[in-house]
Every structure is written in C-alpha cells, then in structure tokens.
Amino acid sequence: MVPLLADHLGKCHQPLYTGKWALEHRLLQKTIPSGTSAASPTTSSSPSNNQSPQTHQQLPAGGNYMQYLDLPHYPQRLIVSTPSAIVTLDREFELLVRSKLSALWSPRQTLRGEGVVYEVDDFKVRIANIMQGDVWKGVLVEVEYAPCSTLAVAEGVIRGFVEGLGWPAGRFTFVGKGGGKRAEGEEWSVLDTGRQYCEVLRMGWGG
Amino acid sequence: MPPPPHLSFAQSAYHELSLYSHIPAARQPQILRVISGITGMLPETTLEHHLVYKPKRPRQLGQNMELYYLQLISIVPEEQKHGEVEGGYDVKSQKWRMRLEDVPEPTRKPVTSRNVLGAGFGEGDSLGLVDSLGFMLQTNYFMTVSTLIHNNIIITLSQVLLPPTSHAAPNAQYGNPYPTSGLQPLDPARSWVLRAAVRVQSHQDLESINTGVNELKGFKELMRGMCGLEVVERLALDTRVR
C-alpha cells in the first residue's frame, strides 16, 4: 500500500524522497477507580468517528485511556494525550508510568509505523504502514504544509492537496482544539499534530 | 528560559543519596555564609511552587502494587511590580515538572538512598493532564530554596512557605504566591532544612554510589560543629499512599 500511494504521488508531482521514518504509539487503559459504578471499562469497537455524547458518559471522569506518541519529527518529547488533555512531556514520563503508576495504568496496545517521507514543494508527505506486532492495521499519511500557521487556512490547502492526489478514499482527520469548532485565527502547535495522530491511532478505543 | 540544570528539581530520573539537618532560624544566615565559603559560590535562591497529588485508589489493587504521591513543581517568577497587573500569577501557564520520589530503600548505608523519577512538561495543559491521570490535588505549598554546589554535592537550604488562604480567587486551590511578602513559614519557629544530596544514574552503579557516599561523609565531617547531617528515618520520607 505504501508503494501504491507513493506511486500516485509521483504521477501527480515530482516528489523528492527525503528518507525513511518510524513512529511508535502506545495506548494504556486506566484501572477502574473505586467508587465508580460497574460500567465496564469497555473497548467500544464501534468504528463511528462521531463521538456521541452517550459514549462519553460511560467513561469515568477524564476518560479511561492515555496515549503516548513518539514522532521522529518532534524528537525532544513525547506527545501524551488523554480524552481531556494533551501535552508534550519528557520521555522519562514513560519510565515513571511503567515503574510507579502501574497500579493506575496498564498497557493495552502498541502500534508501530514505518515508512517513507517525500517533499512536494511546500508539502511534506509522510506515509507509513501501521503494524500491531505482525498484524497490518492500515496506512497512515501525514501531510504537512509549513508556510501557513493558521489552522483554518491550512485545512483547506491540505485537503485540496490530498484530494488532488486521487488516492483511494481514506479517513481525513483535522481536529482543532475545540473538536470541530475551530477558533478564528487559531495557530498551529505541535499539539494539533499530536491530536490528529492520537485520534487516528487509538483505533476506536474510548468510543 | 529553562532553569539551570543544577537546580534541585531540573533533572529527570536518578538515584539520590542524601543527608539532612535541621537549622534553627537564628543559625541560617551563618550556615549559609559558611557553606558559601566552603563552596566558593553565592547561593542561588529560587521560590518553588509545589503541588502534591494523591492517586484515586483503584477498585482492585494488584499484589505488590503501590500507589504513590506525585508532585508538580515549578519556579515562581519574580514578582512584577507593575501596580496595574492584578494577581499576576498564572498557575496554568507555569512550566511544571512532575516528580515522583520513591520510598527510601532499607539500607545500612550511612546516607538516605532513594529513586527519583520525573519528567518536564512542554506545551499543553499540564494540570489538566495530571487530573486525567487519576490524581487529586491534595495540598500546595511554596518553598524558598538556596542552592550551592560542592564537588558532586547539591546543597540546599530550604523553608516551606504557605500563602494566606483565600477561597474567592480563581484557582485558589493551587495557591497564589503573590505578594511574596505574604508567604508565611509553615514552621512557626521559622527553621530551615539543610540537605546535602548526590545524584547517581543508577542504584546498581556501585562505584558511583561509593563515591557519592564518601563525598557526603566528607561534607558531614566538614560541617561537624556547625550542624549535624543525619540520615532521615526512612518512613518519615515515605511517599506511598496508605
């Protein structure tokens, strides 16, 4: 699938191959705090992209999962996301959780991505196969457009670029801070990129 | 601007060897001068904001699993004397670091020996993240810390300070250090804690541990007659939730 997408890219543009890349994503589940009702800590497998309010109500306050994301293009820190907050944090956070918060959080899913990076004019296109162990879970594509830092404007530019490639239909994610409601003139931060990745890579966890 | 790397909380994960001494208020200036003389440097003094978090107990706690208190620490910027800026301290935009100190290991070493884990936040809502990790804010305090360095020893003289209670202000649960003149020592006797600590990367690195222990023993000898540096009772430093 990665060569097919790369081939499409090559037919539409003159992409410059700039190297390989790899990402790692871990999902952890919170152990049930005492005092909450017996609602199961489910992995609702509904593939619905629309987060209905009902699925949110089943979650304990703050949600029941946490995601770590390690992206090579933001090498300094991990992106850590829960349903109610997203931050960048030193890598040692992973050690802290593994060794001292194991009573609160248990690992559930590790995904690894490996692929290639191309530059097309002002766009950077990262394509990767996503694997869970030896199981292929899909292909992830990140399109970065650097000349513009306003989310609302960038979305149109990126969407236009992706649609112009004639790739097989996929799921296009572009989530700002307020979910669908984007503030006027909202500027990009690394957390916005992290948010898109976490949305895609949690594979339906938490509804 | 990131804090200088030697400041007491700026490192992430390490093993810490330490000795402590109680310093009465009247002796603090003299002790500080003496250590300044030994180290050949002036103390670097900062005001730290500490938030102490307690984990919510899971319904089932696995065998041999422990729950620990977690701290968030940041440096309080110098107060701006701009009259018109009200409050001036924004707890949410502070650069926080997470710190989890393990209970000191049972040891016959002549020093307190414990693991410290930590991680610094970059962008985003750090306080919101800690809430969603399953922690509740338990208490907050401020600490004025003077730091000096002697070879591998980080020497700190510190005093815990509390802000006047105000429930009306937004984010009052986190505490507001301004005006800093309103901060009062937790200890009515206004005493200080002297701590001498050496950090090594791993508790398995026996050579570094021995070097650290020997440096601390040497410093204790150097301070003899001025103050007694001692091992602290292990359970007094227990960070496990009971």
Side-chain angles (χ1 to χ4, degrees):
Chain A
M1 194 68 171
V2 171
L4 176 76
L5 296 183
D7 183 53
H8 270 260
L9 191 65
K11 289 193 167 91
C12 302
H13 303 278
Q14 279 89 47
L16 179 68
Y17 171 76
T18 59
K20 297 190 170 184
W21 75 299
L23 71 90
E24 190 175 278
H25 171 269
R26 288 169 192 270
L27 190 139
L28 293 90
Q29 189 180 27
K30 194 190 276 182
T31 50
I32 318 155
S34 59
T36 43
S37 63
S40 63
T42 84
T43 62
S44 143
S45 57
S46 118
S48 155
N49 299 340
N50 310 325
Q51 301 184 337
S52 64
Q54 288 89 337
T55 46
H56 266 299
Q57 278 163 14
Q58 288 172 3
L59 300 173
N64 66 351
Y65 61 87
M66 164 163 64
Q67 295 168 269
Y68 306 144
L69 178 65
D70 192 348
L71 290 179
H73 36 304
Y74 302 106
Q76 303 86 354
R77 289 196 161 108
L78 292 174
I79 293 165
V80 179
S81 166
T82 66
S84 57
I86 180 164
V87 298
T88 58
L89 251 177
D90 287 345
R91 278 156 200 288
E92 288 81 0
F93 178 68
E94 196 174 351
L95 173 68
L96 191 154
V97 172
R98 189 157 23 96
S99 58
K100 292 294 166 197
L101 304 188
S102 56
L104 298 174
W105 291 94
S106 44
R108 280 290 176 268
Q109 183 175 285
T110 301
L111 299 174
R112 289 195 174 81
E114 278 183 23
V116 286
V117 187
Y118 292 96
E119 275 179 24
V120 179
D121 302 326
D122 288 332
F123 296 92
K124 260 200 187 122
V125 183
R126 297 183 176 88
I127 311 174
N129 274 313
I130 301 296
M131 308 290 289
Q132 183 177 11
D134 294 332
V135 184
W136 182 77
K137 303 294 279 187
V139 170
L140 178 142
V141 179
E142 181 196 334
V143 177
E144 177 183 334
Y145 180 64
C148 167
S149 62
T150 318
L151 286 183
V153 178
E155 175 171 8
V157 176
I158 292 174
R159 194 181 280 276
F161 176 81
V162 172
E163 282 167 2
L165 291 173
W167 278 349
R171 177 177 151 202
F172 185 88
T173 318
F174 202 104
V175 198
K177 276 188 204 69
K181 301 178 287 292
R182 207 154 303 123
E184 190 77 18
E186 193 181 320
E187 291 209 356
W188 175 90
S189 87
V190 61
L191 299 179
D192 294 305
T193 298
R195 199 177 288 114
Q196 331 288 329
Y197 271 95
C198 289
E199 175 73 17
V200 170
L201 291 173
R202 87 188 138 87
M203 306 247 161
W205 273 73
Chain B
M1 199 181 79
H6 66 264
L7 284 187
S8 54
F9 68 92
Q11 231 161 339
S12 277
Y14 50 90
H15 192 82
E16 183 188 76
L17 310 166
S18 53
L19 289 172
Y20 296 78
S21 180
H22 176 262
I23 308 291
R27 299 266 288 159
Q28 188 259 353
Q30 185 196 9
I31 296 273
L32 202 55
R33 267 199 309 277
V34 167
I35 299 174
S36 217
I38 292 173
T39 57
M41 69 180 280
L42 290 171
E44 186 145 356
T45 302
T46 49
L47 182 63
E48 294 176 2
H49 191 176
H50 289 238
L51 302 175
V52 181
Y53 284 87
K54 184 180 179 176
K56 294 176 190 147
R57 186 164 284 276
R59 183 124 37 91
Q60 283 169 327
L61 195 59
Q63 269 196 328
N64 300 326
M65 277 195 177
E66 294 283 358
L67 294 167
Y68 296 85
Y69 287 96
L70 180 76
Q71 284 200 52
L72 289 195
I73 305 174
S74 71
I75 289 194
V76 176
E78 294 241 356
E79 210 169 346
Q80 302 291 317
K81 301 278 184 204
H82 285 316
E84 64 268 25
V85 184
E86 278 291 314
Y89 182 73
D90 181 9
V91 71
K92 298 216 184 263
S93 61
Q94 282 283 96
K95 268 270 176 264
W96 292 100
R97 290 189 72 82
M98 219 181 246
R99 184 160 76 191
L100 195 150
E101 296 174 339
D102 207 343
V103 55
E105 55 187 27
T107 168
R108 287 193 201 159
K109 289 190 195 96
V111 297
T112 298
S113 169
R114 65 161 35 162
N115 262 320
V116 180
L117 293 161
F121 283 95
E123 294 179 61
D125 177 8
S126 3
L127 301 176
L129 186 93
V130 176
D131 289 340
S132 65
L133 288 181
F135 285 84
M136 292 172 296
L137 181 66
Q138 186 82 358
T139 186
N140 77 79
Y141 61 91
F142 296 87
M143 192 151 90
T144 179
V145 189
S146 299
T147 307
L148 299 112
I149 309 291
H150 181 54
N151 300 329
N152 292 306
I153 307 177
I154 302 168
I155 303 156
T156 54
L157 251 175
S158 61
Q159 188 177 53
V160 172
L161 303 169
L162 297 179
T165 42
S166 72
H167 299 289
N171 298 323
Q173 72 274 25
Y174 297 113
N176 185 341
Y178 295 158
T180 45
S181 53
L183 296 172
Q184 288 300 320
L186 170 69
D187 177 8
R190 299 175 169 265
S191 57
W192 294 71
V193 173
L194 175 66
R195 194 177 76 133
V198 172
R199 293 170 184 180
V200 295
Q201 197 160 19
S202 157
H203 67 284
Q204 287 162 335
D205 180 357
L206 293 180
E207 199 181 324
S208 300
I209 296 262
N210 285 338
T211 309
V213 169
N214 286 333
E215 279 199 29
L216 285 172
K217 281 205 289 209
F219 184 65
K220 178 180 172 168
E221 275 306 308
L222 214 53
M223 294 301 287
R224 190 180 291 280
M226 293 293 303
C227 63
L229 281 158
E230 303 296 340
V231 177
V232 170
E233 158 61 56
R234 179 173 166 258
L235 293 180
L237 297 177
D238 199 350
T239 49
R240 293 170 294 185
V241 176
R242 293 278 158 228

